[in-house]
Amino acid sequence: MIKVVGTNDPSLSDHLKAFIKTQDAMVVGIIGEGSSREVTALWESKFEQDTPGSYFSKVGGIAQVTTGQTLQQSINSTQIWGGTTPHTFSLMLELYAVSSPYTEVLAAVVSLEKAAAPEMGENIVTGRTPPSVSLNAGRQIIYPECVITNVSKQLDGPISHGGYPLQAQVTLQLQTIGTVNQSEIPATFG
């Protein structure tokens, strides 16, 4: 059975929580303000510089200055699709201790950082890349395979008598393993 760490406050709806399943834990955090989901399509103007005047740039420039006309055509500004990046998630996770500062705050941060880090070996054959994680944000956005690209936690904040943080705001960046097709997007909304 996988251990649950983080703030799994029963007084809050699961629709307000993010569940990140790592290799060794289920991290639960409250989805904070500013969290987002992003899809980026890469479009380029491939023909922007391709005009008769570009081959003779000085002559084309002089012609434009003297006549007020350009050799640019509408095809020069046509956008060509160059791909789509994987879905990107920026989650602001709120963690706070209800009963155990270690389990509800520190262990959650440790699990997230472990999921973002590789295990480097002494030689080329023993190293391992960071493992993938699954993301379930608010029981509505579900991705079975993501990678954590950034984990950021403030170092200040209240500390328990045992030396563990009582609360933390963790900024977590995740990306899907690959680009998601149009037909797959509806299913990612639970």
Side-chain angles (χ1 to χ4, degrees):
M1 187 169 141
I2 195 161
K3 67 180 174 179
V4 176
V5 296
T7 305
N8 198 6
D9 187 342
S11 69
L12 295 175
S13 167
D14 282 354
H15 295 286
L16 301 174
K17 300 173 188 175
F19 301 83
I20 297 106
K21 185 177 179 187
T22 69
Q23 264 184 316
D24 57 352
M26 174 66 76
V27 179
V28 183
I30 311 307
I31 300 170
E33 189 174 318
S35 295
S36 65
R37 168 184 175 144
E38 181 179 310
V39 176
T40 303
L42 307 172
W43 290 91
E44 305 172 75
S45 296
K46 291 277 190 184
F47 312 113
E48 201 170 303
Q49 301 300 321
D50 295 340
T51 65
S54 68
Y55 299 113
F56 308 100
S57 61
K58 289 191 189 239
V59 173
I62 291 170
Q64 183 173 339
V65 168
T66 57
T67 66
Q69 296 183 352
T70 181
L71 297 173
Q72 293 279 346
Q73 298 173 351
S74 61
I75 193 168
N76 296 107
S77 63
T78 300
Q79 297 286 314
I80 304 296
W81 181 73
T84 302
T85 64
H87 273 69
T88 301
F89 299 89
S90 180
L91 296 177
M92 309 301 255
L93 295 182
E94 303 287 340
L95 301 170
Y96 55 86
V98 175
S99 61
S100 171
Y102 176 79
T103 303
E104 295 166 321
V105 181
L106 185 61
V109 174
V110 168
S111 291
L112 292 171
E113 287 189 10
K114 281 175 59 178
E119 186 62 44
M120 307 274 252
E122 292 294 319
N123 59 48
I124 196 164
V125 292
T126 61
R128 288 181 288 159
T129 61
S132 64
V133 300
S134 67
L135 171 65
N136 181 327
R139 298 287 191 217
Q140 295 177 347
I141 298 171
I142 301 167
Y143 280 94
E145 206 170 4
C146 294
V147 291
I148 296 176
T149 59
N150 184 280
V151 179
S152 176
K153 178 203 170 293
Q154 296 170 322
L155 294 175
D156 61 348
I159 303 293
S160 72
H161 292 294
Y164 301 120
L166 291 170
Q167 67 184 43
Q169 183 178 50
V170 177
T171 303
L172 187 64
Q173 304 287 329
L174 300 102
Q175 284 190 323
T176 56
I177 291 289
T179 297
V180 178
N181 289 320
Q182 286 180 6
S183 58
E184 298 169 319
I185 290 174
T188 68
F189 285 97

